[in-house]
Amino acid sequence: MKTTIPCDVTDIRQHEAGRLRIEWAAIEMPVLELIRKRFAEEKPLAGLRVAACLHVTSETANLMRTLQAGGAEVVLCASNPLSTQDEVAASLVEDYGMSVYARKGEDNETYYAHLNAALDSAPHITMDDGADLVSLLHTERSALLPEIYGSTEETTTGVIRLKAMHKDGALRLPVIAVNESDTKHLFDNRYGTGQSTLDGILRATNILLAGKAVVVVGYGWCGKGIAARAAGQGAQVVVVEVNPVRALEAVMDGHRSMDMSEAAQIGDVFVTVTGNKHVIRKKHFNTMKSGAIVCNSGHFNVELDLPGLEELARARRTVRPFVEEFELLDGRKINLLGEGRLINLAAAEGHPAAVMDMSFANQALAAEMLANSAKGERLAVGVHTIAEDLDREVARLKLASMGVSLEVLTPEQVKYLDSWQEGT
Ligand SMILES: NC(=O)c1ccc[n+]([C@@H]2O[C@H](COP(=O)([O-])OP(=O)(O)OC[C@H]3O[C@@H](n4cnc5c(N)ncnc54)[C@H](O)[C@@H]3O)[C@@H](O)[C@H]2O)c1
């Protein structure tokens, strides 16, 4: 092995398998490839250090390659202890010369040591999936803040945390909320989480979904995607929502909707995707059928009251990889998947590359926006979004890569839409 690059990965010898995965994902990422080619010519990130805290997957690797092509020095750490693809981490170090700090299954202490190692690079730009780096930057590592142009945020939960920080007057840097782009949440959260969450559940359990009652807690973009795909497999979908509009939407989409206490009693499989805390808790576990399967695909495992489940159990054992059986005091059994962490990343491979193509095109453009802002007027402290024309351009490029043509407004139509005089 030739590497002398600072890193902490599970086994650098796995790099060849990782490189193949990275190349395989690249085939489905044509928009990012176009940006990578432009970055290679224009070098918009020349001389900049980027610290990224993202799921270390083959798709993320292609984003890192894009930033590197743009001239950035990149350091990557994991945004979840269970989401790292170890061979991809090895390849990024060995084949692409990047510093990576990520080991699948790392404990909490290592997780934070890795975040700190990424920040030790004194970055100009940071990238987050869940706001953990920004949070560390505002607590233990605040000395680094003056040199940072800004950060980008990938997911709903991170954006919620950042908006809460800004509302409290605590946020001290500009953040670009990539999740807010239409070409991110409409596709990644809905189709990506929809498909890969079911993939994670099926890989972990190999159950037949047809005929099962699948309870989806949260009917946001992720929940809608999971529900539609579970229904497509013949499951009876039950939605639990706190927002009346979304509960109504679920009903009119053809699902049943009810509160968590009612759903707990009838579900065979439970998936949480709310971005909220303890949406399934002790009183719900206490009324579930024996054999119920419970998992989470929201950003943090706090969606499930895991300490509560532990208190209810008299025994626990791992029955398959990523499946832990909890035997309750009355003998009922509840199966927890992937330690309650994002099941699509814990037991499957995360989102397919075709949707991450658009999410990471947005990330690359956000990094460029921050780099450009440093040359002129800096972005104000706060939570920003990517301009609508860039968002649409990502969609346009994606359609072009799929060979899909797009209708164009005629001059007469443009005039008509801009006017108010013309009626019937
Ligand atoms: N697994 C993945 O790869 C992946 C990908 C994208 C987003 N996420 C995460 O998934 C979560 C959901 O994201 P989203 O974009 O769908 O968010 P969203 O805001 O569109 O939807 C969340 C929904 O949950 C509902 N909700 C909140 N508390 C609830 C409760 N106690 N019971 C029932 N419903 C409740 C809200 O009303 C809302 O409709 C976030 O944590 C996000 O970061 C995960």
Side-chain angles (χ1 to χ4, degrees), residues 119-140:
L119 289 181
D120 287 343
S121 66
H124 300 100
I125 293 171
T126 61
M127 289 186 161
D128 256 323
D129 187 335
D132 278 348
L133 270 191
V134 164
S135 168
L136 202 56
L137 276 171
H138 284 71
T139 49
E140 292 156 40

Side-chain angles (χ1 to χ4, degrees), residues 39 45 49-55 60 63-64 66-67 72 74-79 115 118-119 123-134 137 148 150-155 162 173 175-176 178 359-368 370:
F39 273 20
L45 308 176
R49 287 184 296 274
V50 178
C53 177
L54 299 169
H55 300 301
T60 299
L63 171 62
M64 296 300 109
T66 306
L67 302 176
V74 180
V75 183
L76 176 64
C77 63
S79 57
L115 261 65
L119 289 181
H124 300 100
I125 293 171
T126 61
M127 289 186 161
D128 256 323
D129 187 335
D132 278 348
L133 270 191
V134 164
L137 276 171
I148 300 184
S151 189
T152 69
E153 173 53 53
E154 171 77 3
T155 198
L162 292 163
L173 82 184
V175 183
I176 300 179
V178 167
S359 307
F360 286 163
N362 277 283
Q363 281 284 6
L365 295 175
E368 186 179 29
L370 289 170

Side-chain angles (χ1 to χ4, degrees), residues 138 179 246 325:
H138 284 71
N179 186 68
R246 289 196 159 169
E325 178 193 82

Side-chain angles (χ1 to χ4, degrees), residues 21 54-60 79-85 104 129 154-156 184 187-205 221-223 225-226 229 269-274 293-301 303-304 321-322 336-353 355-356 359-360:
R21 282 181 81 140
L54 299 169
H55 300 301
V56 180
T57 63
S58 49
E59 293 79 22
T60 299
S79 57
N80 186 292
L82 262 191
S83 64
T84 298
Q85 294 167 355
K104 182 161 184 153
D129 187 335
E154 171 77 3
T155 198
T156 318
K184 199 281 178 180
F187 302 92
D188 167 318
N189 299 27
R190 182 166 35 171
Y191 304 112
T193 314
Q195 178 173 308
S196 61
T197 297
L198 292 193
D199 186 16
I201 295 170
L202 297 180
R203 288 198 205 192
T205 63
W221 292 112
C222 295
I226 296 168
R229 270 138 202 83
V269 180
F270 295 82
V271 194
T272 53
V273 261
T274 65
I293 291 169
V294 180
C295 68
N296 166 52
S297 207
H299 191 76
F300 290 120
N301 59 354
E303 300 223 6
L304 305 171
F322 306 111
L336 173 71
L337 306 188
E339 300 171 17
R341 300 196 188 275
L342 305 139
I343 190 61
N344 60 333
L345 282 142
E349 297 175 57
H351 292 3
V355 286
M356 295 318 292
S359 307
F360 286 163

